[in-house]
Amino acid sequence: MIKLEDYKAPEFKIASVHLEFALDPEATIVTSTLKMVSDSSTLTLDGDELVLLSVELNGKPVDHVVTPTSLTLNVPFTPFTLVIKTQINPTANTALSGLYRSNGTYCTQCEAEGFRRITFFPDRPDVLTTYTVKITGKEPLLLSNGNQLEHGVWHDPHPKPSYLFALVAGDLGVVKDTFTTMSGRVVALEIYVEHGKEPLCAYAMDSLKRSMRWDETAFGREYDLDVFMIVAVSDFNMGAMENKGLNIFNDKYVLANPETATDADYANIEGIIAHEYFHNWTGNRITCRDWFQLSLKEGLTVFRDQEFSSDMRSRPVKRIEDVRLLKSAQFAEDAGPLSHPVRPRQYAEINNFYTATVYNKGAEVIRMMKVLIGEKAFADGLDLYFKRHDGQATTIELFVKCFEEVAERSLDIHSRWYEQAGTPLVRVSTEYEGGVLILHLEQVLREGHLPQSLPLRVGFLSPNGEELFEETITLDQFKGRFIFEDFKDEPILSLNRGFSAAVNIDYGRSDQTLAFLATHDSDDYNRRQAVETYALKVLTKGADAAPFIALYGKLIEESPRDPAFYAHALTLPSEEDIAREIGANINPDAIKQTRNTLVVALAKAHAERASALFHTLQTGAFSPDAASAGKRSLRIALLRLMVIEGFDASEIYMNADNLTERFGALACVVHHGNVATRDKLMADFQARFEDNANVFDKYLSLTGMKASVLEVKTMLQGAVFTKFNPNRYRALVGVFAMSNPTQFHTKAGYDFLCEELLRVDKINPQVSARVANAFRSYKSMEEPRKLAAHEALLALSKHELSNDLKDIITRMLA
Ligand SMILES: [Zn+2]
C-alpha cells in the first residue's frame, strides 16, 4: 500500500535523459543515458517486465541487483552518467501500458506507471528532466515529444516527468494545419490517422484550433512548441493522453463524419481534444508531485474543458449534462465500497484512481471555490498559480494557497472537500410568518467528518411565478439559519441553482411546488431538476402520476422554444438513477416495471402531440453545431413516445442522413418497438457498419443493454472478438454490466462477469479492473442478489489476479 504520509522527495536529480529506440516488433532495444547527481550512495530505479541487457556507470559495467520491479546500484556523490540497455516486446504487450503495437503502429501509454515497462527509471511524477529521443526503424513515421531535430530525432526543451513521454512509429496518413498564437508564433498542427481516414479528422482539427484560441482568451495560456501532434490509435485503454506535444487518442475521439458519428460523438471529440490540449498547462507545465495529487491536474482540467464546452455550446444544457454524469458516475461510486476522497490518502494500484471522484468531483470542488471567492479572485488565483508553479511538480495545498492569498481568506473549510469522501446531504426546512422567511439548513456527512463549505445559490419566486431575487448563501457549519425579509406572500424557493454545491438535497416539496418550478424557475438547471425530482417521487414514493403526466404534456408543448433543454427535461430518470434514489434493497425488476408503466402512460397521453411536433421540427442539412444537435435530440425524445404507441420508425431509420437520427431511431425501436421491426433494423445496422469498428460498437452497446447472459456469451464467440480490443469489449460486456441491471444483477449475470474478469485480466488488467466497477453497488441490492454477488466476488478473489483487479475486488469485499 502506498501512503501519502510516506512521501519523500527524491535524493537525486536527472540533468537530462537520452533515449535510443531500435524498433523491432518483438525485440525492441532501448538504450537510456541518464546524466545524474545523487545525494545518496544507492540508487533504485523502477522496472516492470523488462529484460535487462547491460548497465554501465561512467562508461564501465557496474554491479547491480535486478528484481522484476527494480534495479539497484551504488552510485558516486559526484555527477555521473548511467547507461542502461533493456529489451522489450511491444507485440506481446496486450496490457497496452508502456510501448505496444496497435494495428501495426508502435505507440506508448506511460501514465501512470507505463514508462517503467520501457526502461528502468525513477518512474514518479516529481522527477522532471529534458528528453532527447532517437528512434531507428523502417517505419516512415518516427515521432516523439517536443521539436524534431532530424528524421527520428526529437528534443523536448520542457522538463517533464516520465509519464508524459510518448513515441509513435508507423505508416500513417496525416492532416496538417497551422495555428498562430497570441504572440504571433506559427505552430504546425498535425493529426495522424490510418491511411484513408484523413477526411474524418476535420472536426477534430477545428476543435483543436478553437481550444488553442480559447485557452489564450479565457486563461491567457499560449502553446509553447513548434508543433502539436495528435495520433489516433484503435487499441487504447482510456480516452486519450496528453503527452507533451504528442497527444495519443483512442480513435473514437478523433474520427467523425455525419454518417458515422452521433452528436454525442461530436461533443465528446470537441471536449476531449480540448481537455488533452488544456493539460499542456494544467498537467504538463505544472504537474503533480505524487499521484495522490492527481486531481490537481484532472479536476482542474475537467473544469477547464467544461467551461470551454459551455462557451462553445449552451451553458445551461452543458451544466445539466455534466451534473447528470456526475450523479450517475460519481455519486454512485461515492455511495459504494469504492468510495474515496478527491485526494486519496493511500492506494494499492494507482490505475484504479482515475475515477469520477478524482476527475468530476475534483472539478466540482474547483467550481464551488469559484462561487465562494468570486470570479475576479478566482481568475487572479489561477494567474498566480500559473506564474508561481510553472515548471514544478506541486500539490493541491499549494494550488489552494494561491486562491487564499489573492482572496485574502482561509479556504481550510473548503479544502475538506478534498479529504472527506461521500456526498453531503443538505436537509432543508422553512418557516414563514409576516413577510419573514427563515431557511434552516443542516448538512449531514459521514460520522466523524467536519462541516464542508456548501455555496448555495438560492432563487426566490413569487407565488405567481415572478423572479424576486437571487442570493448565494454558504453553509459552512453543520447547521445554518438564514433570514429573508419583506415578502408580500410566502415565496417559493429555488434551491442550489446551477447545482452550485455538489450535494443531495432533502427538501420535502409538494407535487404542486415541483410542477410550479418546472414551468416557472428562471434557472434552467433547477427547472429540469424539478421535473426529475417530481418523476422520482412518482417512481419511488408512489406520488400521483396524473398531474405529472399533465405537466409532461405542457413540457412537450413548450419544447420547440429550446429543443436541447427540453430533450433533457423530457428524459425520465434511468433505471440506475431510480436505484440510486432508492438506495437500499434494490430490486431491478420492480424498478424496470414501475418505470415502464410511467413511460407507457406518458406515451398514451402524449404520442399524438409528440407526433405532430416531430414532423414540424425539421433540422435541414446536417451541421454538428449545438442548436442543430438540440433539435435532433428533441426529435428522438418525441419519437420514443411515438414508437411506444406503435409508430413504425423504420422509415425514419432508413431515410436518416446522419447517424444521430439513424441510431436514435434504432434505439427507440430496440427499447420500445416490436420484435419484427427490431430484428429487421438491427440486422440492417449490423450489415451497414460491420466494417466500421467504432460504429459497430454502438450496435454492441445496444445489444449489451438488452441481451441475456446467454446472448452476450454467444456474441463473445463471434469473429469481432477474436482479437482483444478495449473499445469492443467495453461496448458489449462493459455496457451489459453497467446498463442492463435486470440481466446483470442475477446470479447468472454475476457469475458470468466474474468468469470474464478472470479471463480478460490475463490480457489487459486495466480493462478488467474497470469493468469490475460494475459491482460497485452490489451491497445495495436486495437478497438473494447481494449474497450471490458477494459469493461470486469471493470466488474470484481466490484466483491469482493482477494488482489492478485484486485491488478492486478486495475493496469491494471489505
Ligand atoms: Zn486528463
Side-chain angles (χ1 to χ4, degrees):
M1 192 66 82
I2 316 281
K3 294 189 172 172
L4 173 59
E5 68 209 43
D6 296 339
Y7 173 81
K8 277 204 198 83
E11 292 180 298
F12 55 83
K13 280 205 167 59
I14 305 182
S16 68
V17 56
H18 185 103
L19 295 169
E20 278 194 39
F21 288 83
L23 293 176
D24 180 277
E26 271 140 36
T28 290
I29 309 289
V30 184
T31 309
S32 164
T33 305
L34 303 167
K35 302 260 186 221
M36 295 186 69
V37 27
S38 176
D39 291 334
S40 162
S41 60
T42 54
L43 177 67
T44 299
L45 305 176
D46 304 301
D48 183 10
E49 291 191 12
L50 295 169
V51 176
L52 179 64
L53 300 180
S54 65
V55 193
E56 286 185 0
L57 184 79
N58 291 332
K60 292 189 195 104
V62 60
D63 286 345
H64 56 267
V65 178
V66 65
T67 75
T69 58
S70 70
L71 170 68
T72 303
L73 63 157
N74 288 329
V75 293
F77 289 106
T78 50
F80 60 91
T81 302
L82 191 61
V83 180
I84 303 166
K85 212 176 257 201
T86 49
Q87 182 179 319
I88 51 180
N89 183 345
T91 303
N93 185 356
T94 60
L96 312 185
S97 165
L99 177 69
Y100 65 95
R101 305 232 312 154
S102 170
N103 265 353
T105 300
Y106 292 91
C107 62
T108 53
Q109 170 59 36
C110 292
E111 188 175 2
E113 297 179 337
F115 194 74
R116 64 187 63 185
R117 293 164 61 83
I118 293 173
T119 181
F120 287 100
F121 197 80
D123 194 13
R124 45 188 283 174
D126 59 350
V127 175
L128 277 63
T129 186
T130 52
Y131 285 66
T132 306
V133 178
K134 184 178 175 191
I135 312 163
T136 51
K138 50 183 186 306
E139 288 69 21
L141 201 66
L142 303 169
L143 308 178
S144 190
N145 317 85
N147 299 319
Q148 185 162 219
L149 305 180
E150 56 185 90
H151 180 64
V153 183
W154 294 80
H155 175 71
D156 183 358
H158 299 278
K160 64 169 176 285
S162 51
Y163 82 86
L164 290 173
F165 168 80
L167 176 155
V168 171
D171 184 3
L172 296 170
V174 64
V175 176
K176 293 188 179 187
D177 207 325
T178 59
F179 178 81
T180 305
T181 69
M182 60 187 185
S183 70
R185 283 189 313 103
V186 178
V187 177
L189 307 179
E190 299 170 356
I191 301 183
Y192 292 91
V193 289
E194 284 170 19
H195 288 292
K197 292 187 174 167
E198 295 89 341
L200 300 172
C201 299
Y203 192 73
M205 184 63 91
D206 180 57
S207 301
L208 174 60
K209 289 197 284 185
R210 284 185 284 118
S211 305
M212 295 176 86
R213 187 61 73 214
W214 185 87
D215 212 14
E216 294 184 342
T217 51
F219 288 96
R221 299 298 106 202
E222 187 177 4
Y223 187 61
D224 53 10
L225 289 165
D226 300 340
V227 59
F228 186 84
M229 298 172 284
I230 291 173
V231 180
V233 300
S234 51
D235 299 272
F236 205 71
N237 280 344
M238 293 177 270
M241 178 64 209
E242 71 261 22
N243 317 300
K244 183 81 186 184
L246 178 57
N247 289 0
I248 300 181
F249 268 64
N250 190 323
D251 66 3
K252 71 187 256 196
Y253 296 123
V254 172
L255 308 174
N257 74 8
E259 290 79 44
T260 58
T262 62
D263 291 319
D265 293 327
Y266 277 98
N268 278 331
I269 289 170
E270 181 181 77
I272 295 174
I273 293 263
H275 178 97
E276 305 309 330
Y277 174 73
F278 297 155
H279 267 315
N280 190 54
W281 273 93
T282 49
N284 300 5
R285 291 281 290 247
I286 306 179
T287 192
C288 304
R289 187 193 73 175
D290 52 68
W291 291 122
F292 298 103
Q293 321 296 331
L294 184 56
S295 196
L296 177 77
K297 76 177 179 79
E298 294 305 342
L300 180 53
T301 306
V302 169
F303 170 80
R304 273 150 56 69
D305 83 52
Q306 289 175 343
E307 286 298 293
F308 168 74
S309 294
S310 300
D311 283 348
M312 296 295 126
R313 292 160 181 263
S314 153
R315 183 166 282 271
V317 170
K318 174 68 178 151
R319 188 65 185 144
I320 289 167
E321 291 167 353
D322 288 342
V323 177
R324 286 184 73 182
L325 176 67
L326 178 81
K327 289 185 175 178
S328 68
Q330 200 281 324
F331 281 24
E333 178 171 85
D334 231 348
L338 298 183
S339 171
H340 58 273
V342 173
R343 182 168 66 185
R345 278 179 290 271
Q346 59 177 40
Y347 60 79
E349 174 50 67
I350 187 59
N351 288 335
N352 291 335
F353 283 84
Y354 286 74
T355 60
T357 297
V358 167
Y359 279 62
N360 304 74
K361 187 177 178 183
E364 292 301 318
V365 176
I366 291 171
R367 189 172 295 283
M368 286 186 278
M369 185 167 70
K370 185 178 173 187
V371 178
L372 283 177
I373 64 174
E375 302 223 353
K376 171 82 174 70
F378 182 76
D380 292 348
L382 263 181
D383 282 343
L384 178 61
Y385 174 68
F386 288 129
K387 204 167 135 210
R388 182 180 284 170
H389 296 290
D390 188 13
Q392 295 180 3
T394 190
T395 62
I396 284 170
E397 275 88 357
L398 291 172
F399 170 71
V400 173
K401 194 161 182 289
C402 293
F403 297 95
E404 290 183 316
E405 277 183 32
V406 297
E408 298 181 348
R409 56 167 284 184
S410 161
L411 289 167
D412 284 355
I413 297 178
H414 182 67
S415 292
R416 289 172 190 157
W417 276 102
Y418 283 109
E419 308 296 332
Q420 301 184 156
T423 308
L425 173 71
V426 179
R427 289 214 178 101
V428 184
S429 64
T430 55
E431 289 174 70
Y432 180 80
E433 209 188 300
V436 178
L437 179 114
I438 306 176
L439 173 63
H440 297 276
L441 301 177
E442 182 189 1
Q443 57 174 308
V444 183
L445 305 163
R446 290 189 185 167
E447 190 142 349
H449 282 187
L450 295 168
Q452 297 174 195
S453 54
L454 316 181
L456 295 155
R457 281 175 53 207
V458 188
F460 296 80
L461 282 80
S462 76
N464 59 20
E466 246 180 290
E467 170 91 8
L468 300 172
F469 62 95
E470 182 186 293
E471 218 172 289
T472 301
I473 57 177
T474 301
L475 178 67
D476 55 9
Q477 304 293 320
F478 281 120
K479 287 185 181 179
R481 192 164 151 270
F482 301 85
I483 300 172
F484 304 91
E485 294 171 325
D486 296 332
F487 295 103
K488 259 206 252 119
D489 303 290
E490 180 166 1
I492 289 130
L493 264 58
S494 166
L495 213 63
N496 205 20
R497 282 185 161 177
F499 202 67
S500 57
V503 298
N504 282 315
I505 302 256
D506 175 11
Y507 185 15
R509 278 169 298 186
S510 68
D511 300 354
Q512 291 83 347
T513 304
L514 291 169
F516 174 88
L517 287 169
T519 44
H520 291 97
D521 202 330
S522 66
D523 181 75
D524 277 348
Y525 175 80
N526 264 9
R527 205 143 53 89
R528 185 197 167 269
Q529 185 55 52
V531 182
E532 182 175 299
T533 307
Y534 196 169
L536 285 169
K537 265 186 96 174
V538 174
L539 291 163
T540 66
K541 298 194 174 73
D544 185 8
F548 178 79
I549 294 169
L551 168 68
Y552 198 85
K554 201 157 176 238
L555 297 174
I556 294 177
E557 213 58 74
E558 292 172 359
S559 65
R561 273 198 238 152
D562 184 353
F565 169 79
Y566 282 95
H568 282 291
L570 294 173
T571 303
L572 287 184
S574 67
E575 289 167 41
E576 294 82 359
D577 293 333
I578 301 166
R580 204 171 59 248
E581 177 74 12
I582 295 171
N585 282 319
I586 291 161
N587 174 352
D589 298 321
I591 289 173
K592 191 187 185 80
Q593 201 184 358
T594 310
R595 186 177 186 278
N596 209 38
T597 305
L598 181 60
V599 168
V600 168
L602 288 169
K604 201 170 171 56
H606 303 304
E608 218 167 292
R609 200 180 314 215
S611 169
L613 209 52
F614 177 85
H615 294 289
T616 60
L617 260 179
Q618 292 306 328
T619 47
F622 181 85
S623 154
D625 67 89
S628 311
K631 277 191 197 159
R632 282 186 288 271
S633 61
L634 179 57
R635 268 169 65 91
I636 301 300
L638 299 170
L639 184 62
R640 194 179 305 133
L641 298 168
M642 294 154 62
V643 170
I644 295 166
E645 271 293 283
F647 177 79
D648 184 346
S650 301
E651 235 176 276
I652 308 289
Y653 168 90
M654 289 295 179
N655 297 338
D657 69 349
N658 63 81
L659 189 66
T660 303
E661 290 227 355
R662 193 186 306 280
F663 185 71
L666 178 66
C668 288
V669 170
V670 166
H671 288 297
H672 306 291
N674 67 51
V675 176
T677 316
R678 184 189 73 194
D679 291 350
K680 177 183 77 182
L681 299 191
M682 279 297 265
D684 178 87
F685 195 85
Q686 179 175 19
R688 245 177 233 267
F689 296 113
E690 229 158 15
D691 298 329
N692 185 323
N694 289 330
V695 187
F696 190 70
D697 284 348
K698 295 184 195 301
Y699 171 89
L700 294 173
S701 297
L702 213 42
T703 305
M705 275 180 220
K706 299 291 285 183
S708 66
V709 170
L710 194 64
E711 285 164 329
V712 176
K713 276 186 179 169
T714 310
M715 289 213 77
L716 278 172
Q717 308 297 322
V720 68
F721 288 99
T722 38
K723 180 183 168 293
F724 184 83
N725 172 280
N727 288 2
R728 283 326 70 74
Y729 193 77
R730 286 184 289 237
L732 181 65
V733 180
V735 167
F736 168 79
M738 292 300 286
S739 308
N740 188 349
T742 54
Q743 300 294 322
F744 171 60
H745 290 291
T746 59
K747 185 173 176 345
Y750 298 142
D751 289 345
F752 160 70
L753 194 68
C754 285
E755 273 166 42
E756 272 301 301
L757 294 175
L758 190 58
R759 180 179 74 85
V760 168
D761 196 41
K762 310 239 180 317
I763 304 168
N764 189 318
Q766 285 187 40
V767 171
S768 64
R770 187 50 69 112
V771 173
N773 273 256
F775 278 103
R776 68 189 177 191
S777 303
Y778 87 90
K779 288 181 181 171
S780 49
M781 303 312 286
E782 61 170 12
E783 295 295 7
R785 299 177 205 258
K786 186 158 75 175
L787 182 66
H790 184 85
E791 283 176 347
L793 288 168
L794 200 62
L796 179 60
S797 73
K798 307 244 156 82
H799 289 86
E800 179 119 356
L801 305 175
S802 68
N803 283 344
D804 302 65
L805 184 59
K806 190 163 70 189
D807 169 46
I808 295 284
I809 303 300
T810 308
R811 284 194 277 148
M812 237 23 124
L813 288 168

